[in-house]
Amino acid sequence: DAGVIQSPRHEVTEMGQEVTLRCKPISGHNSLFWYRQTMMRGLELLIYFNNNVPIDDSGMPEDRFSAKMPNASFSTLKIQPSEPRDSAVYFCASSFLVNNEQFFGPGTRLTVL
Amino acid sequence: KNEVEQSPQNLTAQEGEFITINCSYSVGISALHWLQQHPGGGIVSLFMLSSGKKKHGRLIATINIQEKHSSLHITASHPRDSAVYICAVAGGSQGNLIFGKGTKLSVKP
């Protein structure tokens, strides 16, 4: 298996632009997690899905952030409009069950100028 | 106070030394995870445990539910063990992990 796939690996954009991050979980996993990592705050859960349904989005910073999982093999995290404080590494992870071992993607390093 | 506290924050060791990283938490949990993040940024799950002890190669993880404490041990440390080790806890049946700030380990040859 290729593991969790994220794209793009790096994204540089200007403030105000829309950013879309993509994630393909491991086949057969039914839970998907979006995390953000910054130097100041470390790793934080943004949102997680179980069977394509959002379960907990309390970590989503504000309305500028949205996430979707239209099917079992694809999820997006969108930021619109982006701000410099959104600069971080965004990780996607998946697991077979919601409270099982999680497998992380390589992350997307986002820089908002 | 953070819900998950790790110590030490930074650790430098000589190759071959026995290493211990500690994690204390203040919430009820269903499981505790130990993760490894290499300098390149990738995150790998090392252990998930809810009781007792687990061993994988030179790595050993223990947890004491009553004391709300877990330790990660590395025997015969090697420079390739240099990484950030992150403790995370999961509460109940929820999937949301709460992370510690991480312990940065540097093993010198």
Side-chain angles (χ1 to χ4, degrees):
Chain A
D1 199 316
V4 176
I5 299 172
Q6 289 187 247
S7 64
R9 294 292 304 277
H10 301 272
E11 176 82 27
V12 180
T13 191
E14 292 188 343
M15 183 174 64
Q17 296 298 306
E18 177 180 295
V19 175
T20 299
L21 310 181
R22 296 172 176 80
C23 176
K24 176 178 168 53
I26 292 173
S27 177
H29 284 189
N30 63 6
S31 295
L32 182 140
F33 306 82
W34 281 102
Y35 296 101
R36 179 173 67 176
Q37 186 178 38
T38 61
M39 289 292 292
M40 290 296 294
R41 300 173 67 91
L43 272 164
E44 301 173 290
L45 176 73
L46 298 176
I47 185 171
Y48 80 92
F49 295 83
N50 192 39
N51 293 321
N52 312 338
V53 176
I55 302 300
D56 183 353
D57 65 354
S58 59
M60 296 286 263
E62 48 199 271
D63 292 345
R64 298 184 298 106
F65 284 69
S66 63
K68 293 182 180 180
M69 191 164 186
N71 57 62
S73 59
F74 184 65
S75 177
T76 59
L77 177 68
K78 186 175 293 186
I79 308 172
Q80 165 65 14
S82 58
E83 296 182 4
R85 61 191 167 121
D86 301 331
S87 298
V89 180
Y90 291 80
F91 287 98
C92 175
S94 71
S95 64
F96 178 62
L97 294 173
V98 71
N99 52 2
N100 271 22
E101 178 184 12
Q102 295 184 21
F103 294 81
F104 285 75
T108 294
R109 183 175 295 276
L110 173 65
T111 302
V112 183
L113 303 174
Chain B
K1 184 181 186 300
N2 292 331
E3 292 170 294
V4 181
E5 296 272 3
Q6 286 186 237
S7 63
Q9 285 187 325
N10 294 282
L11 180 57
T12 300
Q14 287 298 126
E15 184 173 356
E17 286 185 359
F18 180 84
I19 288 163
T20 296
I21 299 170
N22 296 298
C23 176
S24 296
Y25 53 93
S26 58
V27 295
I29 69 168
S30 59
L32 183 142
H33 299 245
W34 281 102
L35 309 171
Q36 180 191 55
Q37 186 169 30
H38 272 283
I43 297 175
V44 175
S45 175
L46 298 175
F47 296 103
M48 187 184 80
L49 64 166
S50 55
S51 66
K53 179 170 79 173
K54 286 190 176 181
K55 184 176 188 292
H56 185 252
R58 294 179 295 106
L59 301 178
I60 302 167
T62 64
I63 188 169
N64 184 318
I65 296 294
Q66 287 72 31
E67 295 186 4
K68 295 187 176 179
H69 181 268
S70 175
S71 293
L72 176 68
H73 305 286
I74 305 175
T75 61
S77 60
H78 189 277
R80 64 174 175 265
D81 298 325
S82 298
V84 175
Y85 292 84
I86 302 168
C87 171
V89 299
S93 61
Q94 301 299 314
N96 47 316
L97 294 181
I98 304 170
F99 297 88
K101 296 295 186 187
T103 295
K104 185 174 182 179
L105 171 66
S106 177
V107 182
K108 305 296 186 186

